Amino acid sequence: MMKRHHTMLGSAVVASALLLTGCQAGDDATDYDAGSADKKTAGAADDKDDTGHAQELAAAQPRIVTTYEGGILTLDATTLDVIDDTKLEGFNRLNPVGDGRHLMVSVAEGFRLFDAGVWTQPHGDHTHSYAADPQLTDTVFDTELPGHVVNHGEATVLFGDGDGKIQTFDTENFSDGAPKPQVTEVDEPHHGVAVKLADGSMLHTVGTEDERSGAKVVDSSGKEIASSDECPGVHGEAAAKDEVIALGCEDGILLYKDGKFEKIDAPDSFGRIGNQSGSDESQYILGDYKVDEDAELERPERVSVTDTKSGKLSLVDLGASYSFRSLGRGPDGEGVVLTTDGNLKIIDPATASVTEEYPVIDEWEEPVEWQKARPTLFVQDEVAYVSDPGEKKIHIVDLESGEVMAEETLPHAPNELTGVTG
């Protein structure tokens, strides 16, 4: 295993588990089905920044957030105790804003802001951490068919598939409530994604409702800097070390680095990479890999590892299948995949090989409908959260040892799974 850099969350989870025992959009998710919450005015949210309404903590308190059919559960990240059960009808999607506190919930009218209720504020030369009740705010950022949410660097970007609207925020501004977005639009609406880069330019996909072909980068005035039409079926994004941005294609992967696009071909004529997972600590991109163009649902047993420096794309045989919610990255950039044999496979991306295998849950099969709940992986710092909707459980796994440090049965079967650091 790689050298581990311990963090506050990992230490807190370990300590909590010791006390308890006595010693965590997919590539096929192009159809929209969001919750049916009533739209309210997209004004300032009651975000509880008045510390008189919150409890001050000795340290930041991470939380896990998961959806179920009809609502959102907020859990303590170390004990998995239910902190709040927020009712929201329908199938709901979750995406972190990137500020350690807020999430976007995809609803019929757009992106609705969810306050997970934990945050840290600077006070002179130190910080104070707080906790309060989670809240589904009244703030909705209007768009048609809300799609991908990307937080990269200091920016958060929302992409509307139905109207091609790109809404960009300085991530830190969410601490003040409901910030006003900078709004731009792509040429034609499509199921796409956008990323704001460190130099202020914007990378976004290019396509139509029927076909997606590539991506381009524009400066703040809208002037094109670079473009590529060599990425059929472009989907998803991930960032690697040195701000290399990767986009999945039906025949490989498209990289944007050093101001230019670079296409890396798949070893098969149809080799689709639709979901990727990146790490700021790593030059490697972890991706899925599918080769059956006609399959209603392919259940692949290989993942892709792309070296963004050398341009080499390698395939790793896992010995079992996985889903679009199975990919993650550890704190040192290692790949983490939840496979249908119930195991977590740890991948060394430098050698494109499985180095560890940790049993967590029973065998499972990916459902055909992408909205249906299936075991899901979410990695936060040094630990993996693995859901088991069939058993209504979530497990906490130490990524270094493979130990299942805690597990909890929930009142509802978990579906989407994410978290905030506080």
Side-chain angles (χ1 to χ4, degrees), residues 372-413:
K372 294 294 185 182
R374 80 284 313 280
T376 295
L377 168 70
F378 172 67
V379 177
Q380 189 153 275
D381 295 319
E382 296 176 351
V383 297
Y385 295 86
V386 176
S387 68
D388 185 351
E391 299 293 329
K392 296 184 180 179
K393 286 185 176 182
I394 291 183
H395 308 258
I396 303 178
V397 184
D398 184 310
L399 284 175
E400 185 169 23
S401 68
E403 176 189 359
V404 178
M405 301 184 297
E407 62 180 52
E408 188 63 46
T409 301
L410 305 179
H412 309 281

Side-chain angles (χ1 to χ4, degrees), residues 31 57 70 99 135 157 183 191 258 275 294 327 332:
D31 296 325
L57 306 171
D99 66 343
Q135 179 191 31
V157 183
V183 179
H191 179 58
D258 302 325
N275 299 282
D294 299 320
L327 305 180
D332 297 315

Side-chain angles (χ1 to χ4, degrees), residues 11-221:
S11 300
V13 172
V14 171
S16 174
L18 290 174
L19 288 172
L20 290 171
T21 61
C23 33
Q24 203 216 103
D27 67 339
D28 299 312
T30 56
D31 296 325
Y32 176 73
D33 184 6
S36 56
D38 293 335
K39 178 181 176 182
K40 299 183 180 180
T41 304
D46 177 12
D47 278 348
K48 308 184 188 72
D49 277 332
D50 177 359
T51 55
H53 295 279
Q55 175 186 2
E56 185 165 356
L57 306 171
Q61 182 187 84
R63 288 178 173 177
I64 296 299
V65 185
T66 184
T67 62
Y68 63 90
E69 187 64 30
I72 302 169
L73 291 176
T74 304
L75 314 174
D76 184 292
T78 60
T79 66
L80 298 178
D81 290 340
V82 176
I83 295 171
D84 184 77
D85 186 347
T86 302
K87 302 302 181 183
L88 184 63
E89 293 182 5
F91 169 73
N92 303 299
R93 307 216 69 189
L94 296 175
N95 288 281
V97 164
D99 66 343
R101 173 179 181 178
H102 294 94
L103 305 171
M104 291 292 178
V105 183
S106 297
V107 296
E109 302 79 16
F111 297 95
R112 189 169 180 179
L113 191 65
F114 182 82
D115 182 355
V118 284
W119 67 94
T120 298
Q121 291 179 335
H123 287 263
D125 59 355
H126 59 284
T127 59
H128 287 185
S129 296
Y130 302 95
D133 292 336
Q135 179 191 31
L136 183 63
T137 76
D138 294 340
T139 300
V140 177
F141 299 100
D142 292 333
T143 197
E144 295 180 20
L145 309 186
H148 285 271
V149 177
V150 175
N151 46 81
H152 173 72
E154 299 177 353
T156 301
V157 183
L158 317 180
F159 194 96
D161 292 349
D163 51 14
K165 183 189 292 187
I166 298 173
Q167 301 182 67
T168 307
F169 308 82
D170 290 336
T171 304
E172 65 178 11
N173 289 345
F174 281 95
S175 63
D176 297 326
K180 298 292 185 182
Q182 177 184 355
V183 179
T184 55
E185 293 183 356
V186 298
D187 295 333
E188 294 189 62
H190 61 279
H191 179 58
V193 68
V195 186
K196 185 176 182 180
L197 304 176
D199 63 3
S201 60
M202 181 74 71
L203 182 154
H204 66 76
T205 52
V206 174
T208 67
E209 183 179 352
D210 300 318
E211 184 179 30
R212 305 187 300 275
S213 57
K216 66 179 178 180
V217 178
V218 297
D219 65 16
S220 57
S221 68

Side-chain angles (χ1 to χ4, degrees), residues 299-381:
R299 294 184 170 95
E301 295 191 356
R302 295 180 296 174
V303 291
S304 58
V305 173
T306 303
D307 186 335
T308 62
K309 287 190 176 181
S310 70
K312 180 182 179 182
L313 190 158
S314 303
L315 300 178
V316 183
D317 192 342
L318 301 175
S321 185
Y322 55 93
S323 88
F324 71 92
R325 293 181 184 158
S326 289
L327 305 180
R329 302 299 290 271
D332 297 315
E334 64 269 40
V336 186
V337 185
L338 174 63
T339 47
T340 55
D341 55 7
N343 295 325
L344 283 181
K345 307 289 175 65
I346 309 301
I347 297 172
D348 180 355
T351 61
S353 61
V354 176
T355 59
E356 301 286 352
E357 185 171 330
Y358 303 142
V360 183
I361 60 176
D362 291 337
E363 292 185 9
W364 55 281
E365 182 177 81
E366 179 181 8
V368 174
E369 295 182 34
W370 70 267
Q371 296 98 333
K372 294 294 185 182
R374 80 284 313 280
T376 295
L377 168 70
F378 172 67
V379 177
Q380 189 153 275
D381 295 319

